[in-house]
Amino acid sequence: MGEAKEIWSAPITPRTASVMGTPVVASPPVSCPPSQLHSPSLTRSPLLQPEDAPKNKATPKTPRTPRTPRISLTPRFITPLGSPVRKALRFTKLDPQDAWLPITESRNGNKYYAAFHTLCSGIGIQALVLPVAFTILGWTWGIISLTIAFIWQLYTLWLLVHLHESVEQGVRYSRYLQLCFATFGERVGKLLALFPSMYLSAGTCTTLIIIGGSTARTFYKVICGDSCTAKPMTTVEWYLVFTCAAVVLSQLPNLNSIAGISLIGAVTAVGYCTSIWVVSVAQGALPGVNYNPIRAPTDAQTAFSVLNALGIIAFAFRGHNLILEIQATMPSSEKHPSHVPMWKGVKVAYTIIAACLFPLAIGGYWAYGQLIPANGAMLTALYQFHSRDVSRFVLGMTSIFVVVNGLCSFQIYGMPVFDDMESVYTRKKKKPCPWWLRSFFRVFFGFTCFFIGVAIPFLSQLAGLIGGVALPVTLAYPCFMWLKAKKPKKYSFSWCLNWFLGTLGMGLSGILIAASIYVIIDTGVNVSFFNPQ
């Protein structure tokens, strides 16, 4: 009986089958499951005793198989369940469908890529409208509002970066909508976030076509000069040229593959923002400039104008709907979570963004005051007031920077839409999209935006309304997501702060949308369907 117990307690050594008298060769013993490494009974196993341990001579021994060096087939880093390493392993597992989609099929991003993408998506044409908000708010409230909005959106950006991966559940939320669905439920998440996030992507791409095509036309006029006899293309044709170039660039497969394009977009955005405010300040304030805030005839109209100005400031800070997607391109583990390099890239990007937005708003308002055009703002003011004072090289360089930045920004804002269209196919077919279908999706999206841009060319004049619609995505939803996911202690500082900011953001969004609609109805918009100027 003793012999039987001893044999039964030892692990069975796998052996290869013996064929035609071939001697049986012992393979290396397989190590015990990790969950048994701390089992008290396992320490009494004879095979785990040290060589110099006293042996029980009263129990007869069976002949022992010669020992071979113990080669454990279980990696050393495997530790008992519940350890951080197991959670790290779960982070590295990809959903098979994720490996087929353009946002998550490549996970070799780094902090530099994060900075390029964040800077390209976080700064753009919308920054040029900031001095228009100052004409209503004035110096003091304009600077205060811009500073508060910058700090607020930077805080919610920090929340999103740290909500990207859940250590408790071992899940990475690689898309903004995924985090919304996990937080609020699929039905409520679609109701709250689906339209604003898709509107930000598709609406921004359409606006880029409108502004990029118009600026390309201006660039042609600047280069050609007054003596040019060539017949210029129409605005619609310039829209088409811009769209074709954007569609060609959109054939790059995934978000990591456009890192170089985002770098070019970031450089050109910084270039034209800096050149515009430097030229405007260098030329000096216009004669008769007035800095008194514009006041409407009635208090109600003035209040709505102020709220519309706040919507313009909110519109200047976009890109939060892309942060989780950008972070999804990075590898992540328990020891090296993706939020560390992501936050490093974000800090660099937003330092540069602040260095562009604040001088642009303050310098532009100082140079033009109430004379700044509401349509086109700083870019239009540069051509309108300084076309004869500034060299054609500077004007042409600024124009081409705007066009190139528009082409680059189109790629990163279109990526969530490409990802969503391809996910429909991969869910149904259980396989990746073929190259021809992927190309068709991107061509279809590009020319759909082109059609909307031709049909509604005044879309770029609705900055306040767009800012009000997009405000919850940027300033409110991340606060509620943090409360739901992290569950801070009731009445703690984090709990109070996020409830206050989230509630304030939702309230501001509703008020800004109403105010923007009122201003559009009251002042009017140059509505010209299918007639871009």
Side-chain angles (χ1 to χ4, degrees), residues 355-367:
C356 292
L357 294 189
F358 282 88
L360 190 65
I362 297 172
Y365 184 55
W366 176 83

Side-chain angles (χ1 to χ4, degrees), residues 441-501:
F441 283 151
R442 301 182 182 203
V443 172
F444 174 78
F445 172 75
F447 282 96
T448 300
C449 293
F450 165 76
F451 175 78
I452 297 173
V454 173
I456 315 175
F458 55 89
L459 187 65
S460 58
Q461 301 177 32
L462 309 178
L465 179 61
I466 296 174
V469 172
L471 189 143
V473 174
T474 303
L475 302 181
Y477 294 159
C479 300
F480 293 126
M481 292 174 185
W482 184 267
L483 291 169
K484 183 76 172 179
K486 300 299 183 180
K487 296 180 174 58
K489 186 178 179 181
K490 197 172 184 180
Y491 302 119
S492 64
F493 176 77
S494 176
W495 186 88
C496 294
L497 178 64
N498 285 288
W499 267 113
F500 173 74
L501 293 179

Side-chain angles (χ1 to χ4, degrees), residues 213 216 233 235-247 407 450:
M233 293 192 297
T235 305
V236 175
E237 291 172 335
W238 282 111
Y239 286 4
L240 184 61
V241 170
F242 183 93
T243 303
C244 291
V247 166
L407 289 173
F450 165 76

Side-chain angles (χ1 to χ4, degrees), residues 202-236:
T204 301
C205 289
T206 302
T207 304
L208 289 171
I209 290 176
I210 295 172
I211 297 177
S214 302
T215 309
R217 183 184 184 184
T218 304
F219 172 74
Y220 175 81
K221 290 181 179 180
V222 170
I223 297 302
C224 193
D226 298 332
S227 60
C228 185
T229 58
K231 182 180 179 181
M233 293 192 297
T234 64
T235 305
V236 175

